[in-house]
Amino acid sequence: GIVHRLDKDTSGLMLVAKTEIAHIKLSEMFKNHSVERNYQLLVWNVPNAKGFINQPIGRSKFNRKKMAINLDGKKAVTHWLLLKVFSNIVSLINCKLETGRTHQIRVHMSSIGHSLIGDKTYGVIPKTNKKQTSLEQNIISHCKTFSRQALHSKTLSFVHPIYDRKLHFNIDLPNDMKDLINSIK
């Protein structure tokens, strides 16, 4: 059974249980926030070198199909670490989740002015202008064509529900994100 979910158009690791007992135990681990999850993502602009966002997330009061920072929502905590900057226009960051709310990373990063590249729901694309260099304008143009949100579930760590051993899984960025990074270097 599916233990957790990824947003549509998010790549990377997911956890699936093979037995009902494993499913129950793994689901409990997610509920208790004992599963470590790290994501890599490309965002607009340059955030601080590291930080965290502790803002509750719930349904948007203006658009029921979207999530938003909502004081009536559930606790949501996202930690980030800046990995690489591309001409002060785009940044590669790592996010570690303490909680797991619907669209959490996308909502949190957008709320601090660093929406994900390709995020059609929460994203805000910077406009090109004459003050930007041709390199910066080129980076914006390349990123505008990315066909999904640049969000990748990179690592999962948890204690095996049956054998009580710590397991760690890691997967490389998918080719589409690697290609985008190579095109904006």
Side-chain angles (χ1 to χ4, degrees):
I2 304 295
V3 179
H4 73 115
R5 56 182 279 298
L6 294 176
D7 292 346
K8 180 182 178 195
D9 293 331
T10 296
S11 60
L13 296 169
M14 280 185 62
L15 193 53
V16 179
K18 288 175 73 174
T19 68
E20 187 174 346
I21 291 170
H23 187 272
I24 291 166
K25 289 182 178 183
L26 289 167
S27 295
E28 194 63 32
M29 286 181 212
F30 269 93
K31 187 176 178 182
N32 295 332
H33 310 296
S34 61
V35 176
E36 293 177 32
R37 294 171 288 158
N38 283 280
Y39 293 77
Q40 284 190 352
L41 47 147
L42 290 163
V43 298
W44 293 110
N45 306 314
V46 183
N48 293 332
K50 64 180 179 176
F52 72 96
I53 305 164
N54 183 358
Q55 292 289 326
I57 293 177
R59 289 269 168 218
S60 167
K61 294 179 181 178
F62 306 104
N63 181 346
R64 301 299 295 160
K65 293 182 179 181
K66 290 174 70 174
M67 305 303 283
I69 303 293
N70 182 334
L71 297 179
D72 296 327
K74 293 181 179 178
K75 178 181 178 168
V77 181
T78 304
H79 298 264
W80 84 83
L81 176 67
L82 180 63
L83 300 175
K84 188 164 178 108
V85 176
F86 304 95
S87 262
N88 291 327
I89 297 290
V90 173
S91 299
L92 176 65
I93 64 173
N94 184 81
C95 282
K96 181 178 179 181
L97 298 181
E98 262 186 49
T99 55
R101 304 293 169 229
T102 300
H103 301 173
Q104 178 174 322
I105 291 172
R106 296 165 62 199
V107 170
H108 272 171
M109 295 312 295
S110 182
S111 77
I112 62 168
H114 302 290
S115 59
L116 277 68
I117 303 299
D119 191 338
K120 292 169 182 60
T121 303
Y122 303 102
V124 177
I125 300 170
K127 293 183 177 14
T128 54
N129 61 56
K130 292 179 181 176
K131 292 180 182 178
Q132 295 165 336
T133 66
S134 60
L135 174 64
E136 291 169 336
Q137 291 176 359
N138 192 31
I139 288 172
I140 292 170
S141 293
H142 272 54
C143 291
K144 280 181 175 179
T145 65
F146 198 68
S147 63
R148 63 178 183 91
Q149 68 266 1
L151 179 59
H152 178 69
S153 173
K154 181 137 179 65
T155 66
L156 277 174
S157 298
F158 59 95
V159 175
H160 192 283
I162 307 300
Y163 303 114
D164 200 33
R165 270 192 331 224
K166 181 79 172 190
L167 300 175
H168 179 80
F169 298 92
N170 183 32
I171 190 169
D172 286 340
L173 287 174
N175 288 337
D176 63 349
M177 286 180 71
K178 286 181 185 176
D179 292 344
L180 180 59
I181 289 169
N182 288 331
S183 73
I184 63 176
K185 278 185 182 176

